[in-house]
Amino acid sequence: MEVPHSSLLFVRHPHPMLVYEIESMRLLAVNESMVRTYGYAESELLSMTLRDLHLPEDFQDLEANIAQVSEGVDEAGIWRHVDKSGRILHAEIFSEVL
């Protein structure tokens, strides 16, 4: 099966990338770098929400940021994420609403 070039750009991008649904915050797609960096299998990540990647003390800020995103690109800044081992990662976040 041939994969479209745009899909390859997402899948093989050197930085972790994900697609999520705004209302539920459910992860819909992740790339190979996300799997490697966060230590979860792709199937595990696809059963998670954005909340699962954040520290509980950041949930209020996360929800406020998502509520403000409506169209275009959101430069959300640096967020603390947690990988499968519990290690804190500092992720620079850019979002685009489609």
Side-chain angles (χ1 to χ4, degrees), residues 20-26 66:
Y20 71 94
E21 179 182 69
I22 288 180
E23 292 81 19
S24 68
M25 290 192 256
R26 187 172 60 93
I66 289 173

Side-chain angles (χ1 to χ4, degrees), residues 25-40:
M25 290 192 256
R26 187 172 60 93
L27 304 187
L28 302 174
V30 296
N31 71 352
E32 294 170 354
S33 180
M34 183 87 184
V35 170
R36 279 192 312 275
T37 302
Y38 285 74
Y40 291 99

Side-chain angles (χ1 to χ4, degrees), residues 25-87:
M25 290 192 256
R26 187 172 60 93
L27 304 187
L28 302 174
V30 296
N31 71 352
E32 294 170 354
S33 180
M34 183 87 184
V35 170
R36 279 192 312 275
T37 302
Y38 285 74
Y40 291 99
E42 181 179 9
S43 61
E44 290 177 296
L45 286 163
L46 296 178
S47 70
M48 298 168 69
T49 70
L50 285 180
R51 285 176 146 249
D52 297 317
L53 299 175
H54 286 79
L55 297 169
E57 57 264 35
D58 294 342
F59 288 173
Q60 187 174 2
D61 291 338
L62 171 66
E63 291 167 358
N65 180 263
I66 289 173
Q68 293 176 352
V69 175
S70 60
E71 290 185 15
V73 175
D74 172 40
E75 295 181 36
I78 306 293
W79 288 82
R80 297 181 302 170
H81 282 185
V82 181
D83 72 5
K84 187 172 183 171
S85 72
R87 179 178 57 137

